Amino acid sequence: MKRPATLALALVLGLSLAACGSPRVVTVTPEDAATPAPQAETATARPAALQAGDFYAVSEYASGFNTGDAWYSLENHLGYCLVTRTDYATATRQVLCSVPGCTHDSESCPAWLPGKGTTAQLFTAGDSVYIYHKVATMHYEGSWDSYYEEIVEPRLKERPQGWEDLSDEELVAYCRGQYGENTAPAGLYILAADGSTRREVTASQDLLNVRLRWCDGAALYGYDMEAAPAGQAAGYRLDLADGTVTTFPLQGGEQIAGAQGGNLLTCRTITQVPVTEEIRSSDEAYQAILQNATVEYDWLDPATGTRSKVLEQPHDGTTSGNRDFCGLCGGRLIFAAWEDDAFRAYDPATGQWQDLVRPIPDETMYLPDVTVAALPDAVAQQGRYLWFSGSNSVNGENLAWVLDTQSGELTAVQQTVERELSGWAMRAAAFTDDGRFLVQTAQQESQYGTTPVYGLIDAEAFLQGSTDYTPVTNAE
């Protein structure tokens, strides 16, 4: 089939997407800056092993990562996104690239990623910044020519909603970025802390259904989300140095629910009789067994296999049995106790329960995942503030509340994000080591999506209704 003229242009404008294979180093020197080009080297030796330490969580949906003194996040552009660093002390944001003369719009830029970053998980470990990109849900196996014929040409002809104002060249550039994201195998982008280089590592195994969300500074840990509900289980470890994937044993149906210190927090369903495949295939028989089932929470050291029981709760009848578990925060297990009209916390160190909120002031109020994506020594890990969400369907509002766990005071958030659709209560993206919230103050619309606008404000002042934000500006 003859290609329209835009294909030739796409090949000129297209993002040069080298296939991921062996680990490689992308380095741009000052001499190369006038005409940046990736300098690829195939690694001949295994990189040095990283030092493992305490566990911490990483963001699951590219929402960002908090180091206590900075916020790392992705900035979307047409067909690509860039790793950025927001410095809390100076309230400035900049692309994580120090290559002189770099225009940040091709893969020669260390901070550059193809597509929207929807498969990316951003975090730091040691002296580097990491982006783990899993296999895309809409993974594509074919060539760019095939993708162009199947996906791009129809869009150029039909101009789907939202793309009416884009030129053919812009639409092709966007699709080329999506192609790069959707064809990439699981792996890591590893950026130097100063943004001078990027190393790309391909995982030894494509972990399509594996939830990797916990890091010990040397590896990512997770479990197979499809195997666990079926009564099967295996833990996975992805080495940050070279992408090697190994497994560690989990018990039948066990899931990883959190992490603290040197242990993972796991949960699994305990039944009085064994659950066979025949029982599992019969909804009536399975539900009958679950009526007397419990969910056990354990500390697990994946390196030694040592485990100790933390807590046992009644099974709630759902697939996982722990729908009311909201996460591990500040060393405590947080639960929604709907039958008691409360949110409660269990402290494993003391074995004591505490009511966090009772009664629940709004029937729509719930706790999103309370897991803090931050370094283990960041103040945010203490879990002082819990952010609740809710909605007012009549007025079309998204609501928010903040609980100060030290004082026990629950505050309804009055400040709203400036955007085209009103009624979106502000939420904190991060809590800084010096006691401030990083909040999204506005949302700007553009041809490639929405761009959040951030500000910093003292936490106590925010809870008192202040809007005296220090705006985050782009660094020169």
Side-chain angles (χ1 to χ4, degrees):
M1 176 181 294
K2 183 178 181 180
R3 297 278 188 266
T6 51
L7 177 56
L9 181 58
L11 295 177
V12 175
L13 297 176
L15 311 176
S16 179
L17 302 171
C20 294
S22 302
R24 65 184 186 125
V25 177
V26 179
T27 305
V28 180
T29 65
E31 291 77 14
D32 298 323
T35 55
Q39 306 296 313
E41 298 178 6
T42 300
T44 58
R46 172 187 168 89
L50 299 171
Q51 184 66 40
D54 287 345
F55 279 105
Y56 54 96
V58 302
S59 297
E60 192 162 20
Y61 302 109
S63 56
F65 188 78
N66 179 16
T67 61
D69 60 356
W71 170 253
Y72 291 84
S73 59
L74 298 179
E75 179 180 276
N76 282 310
H77 293 264
L78 190 62
Y80 64 97
C81 53
L82 297 170
V83 179
T84 65
R85 181 184 186 274
T86 298
D87 182 87
Y88 300 148
T90 61
T92 56
R93 184 189 194 196
Q94 65 182 48
V95 176
L96 193 63
C97 172
S98 60
V99 177
C102 183
T103 54
H104 313 313
D105 57 3
S106 72
E107 71 169 349
S108 61
C109 174
W112 182 94
L113 281 73
K116 293 182 176 180
T118 53
T119 64
Q121 293 175 261
L122 180 63
F123 61 101
T124 68
D127 296 328
S128 300
V129 178
Y130 292 80
I131 302 94
Y132 168 64
H133 53 93
K134 60 184 179 181
V135 178
T137 302
M138 301 298 291
H139 185 71
Y140 189 83
E141 293 287 351
S143 66
W144 164 247
D145 284 348
S146 298
Y147 189 86
Y148 189 94
E149 183 174 347
E150 296 174 23
I151 307 296
V152 184
E153 281 187 339
R155 289 189 179 185
L156 289 170
K157 295 176 181 178
E158 299 168 7
R159 310 301 299 182
Q161 184 177 3
W163 299 104
E164 298 90 344
D165 297 332
L166 290 182
S167 66
D168 285 358
E169 292 80 5
E170 290 170 331
L171 182 54
V172 170
Y174 169 81
C175 291
R176 187 71 193 233
Q178 289 296 102
Y179 172 77
E181 187 173 27
N182 292 339
T183 56
L188 295 160
Y189 298 117
I190 307 172
L191 280 67
D194 63 357
S196 59
T197 61
R198 180 182 72 206
R199 183 161 59 93
E200 300 181 20
V201 175
T202 300
S204 63
Q205 182 179 344
D206 279 350
L207 305 175
L208 180 60
N209 298 312
V210 175
R211 186 190 195 203
L212 293 174
R213 200 182 174 187
W214 296 273
C215 182
D216 66 356
L220 286 175
Y221 292 76
Y223 70 97
D224 191 320
M225 295 183 295
E226 290 196 352
Q232 305 167 10
Y236 289 82
R237 181 185 185 276
L238 173 66
D239 192 294
L240 298 183
D242 64 1
T244 299
V245 176
T246 54
T247 61
F248 56 93
L250 293 177
Q251 299 184 10
E254 193 170 23
Q255 305 173 52
I256 301 174
Q260 179 178 293
N263 293 313
L264 299 172
L265 177 70
T266 68
C267 61
R268 62 189 179 97
T269 297
I270 307 294
T271 59
Q272 296 180 355
V273 297
V275 179
T276 63
E277 284 300 320
E278 182 178 359
I279 291 176
R280 195 180 297 278
S281 63
S282 171
D283 185 65
E284 183 177 351
Y286 188 48
Q287 289 300 319
I289 287 178
L290 294 182
Q291 289 180 6
N292 297 314
T294 60
V295 175
E296 180 176 305
Y297 295 85
D298 295 324
W299 292 127
L300 170 66
D301 181 345
T304 64
T306 304
R307 66 175 63 239
S308 60
K309 183 176 178 179
V310 176
L311 179 67
E312 194 164 356
Q313 288 281 92
H315 194 284
D316 62 23
T318 62
T319 301
S320 63
N322 66 341
R323 176 190 57 189
D324 293 342
F325 177 65
C326 303
L328 178 68
C329 186
R332 300 187 296 177
L333 284 68
I334 312 298
F335 292 88
W338 303 111
E339 67 284 355
D340 294 329
D341 195 26
F343 288 93
R344 308 188 70 200
Y346 177 77
D347 187 345
T350 64
Q352 300 296 312
W353 285 92
Q354 177 191 5
D355 283 346
L356 297 173
V357 176
R358 183 194 292 265
I360 298 174
D362 189 289
E363 64 179 5
T364 68
M365 185 175 172
Y366 69 98
L367 255 179
D369 187 358
V370 301
T371 305
V372 176
L375 290 177
D377 58 352
V379 172
Q381 291 288 9
Q382 298 173 9
R384 176 174 178 177
Y385 297 103
L386 291 178
W387 288 73
F388 295 78
S389 295
S391 63
N392 183 327
S393 58
V394 175
N395 298 324
E397 297 175 330
N398 292 317
L399 309 177
W401 297 263
V402 183
L403 174 69
D404 183 340
T405 61
Q406 286 188 9
S407 66
E409 184 175 353
L410 181 69
T411 303
V413 176
Q414 302 300 319
Q415 299 95 321
T416 57
V417 178
E418 183 181 336
R419 61 197 294 263
E420 290 185 0
L421 299 177
S422 61
W424 186 2
M426 284 188 185
R427 294 187 61 87
F431 180 56
T432 71
D433 280 358
D434 61 6
R436 292 181 291 168
F437 288 142
L438 176 69
V439 295
Q440 181 182 340
T441 59
Q443 179 170 287
Q444 296 179 342
E445 303 292 335
S446 67
Q447 62 182 357
Y448 46 80
T450 58
T451 301
V453 178
Y454 290 108
L456 287 155
I457 185 171
D458 178 79
E460 293 185 6
F462 179 86
L463 296 180
Q464 292 170 7
S466 174
T467 57
D468 185 20
Y469 312 111
T470 299
V472 173
T473 59
N474 291 326
E476 294 294 333

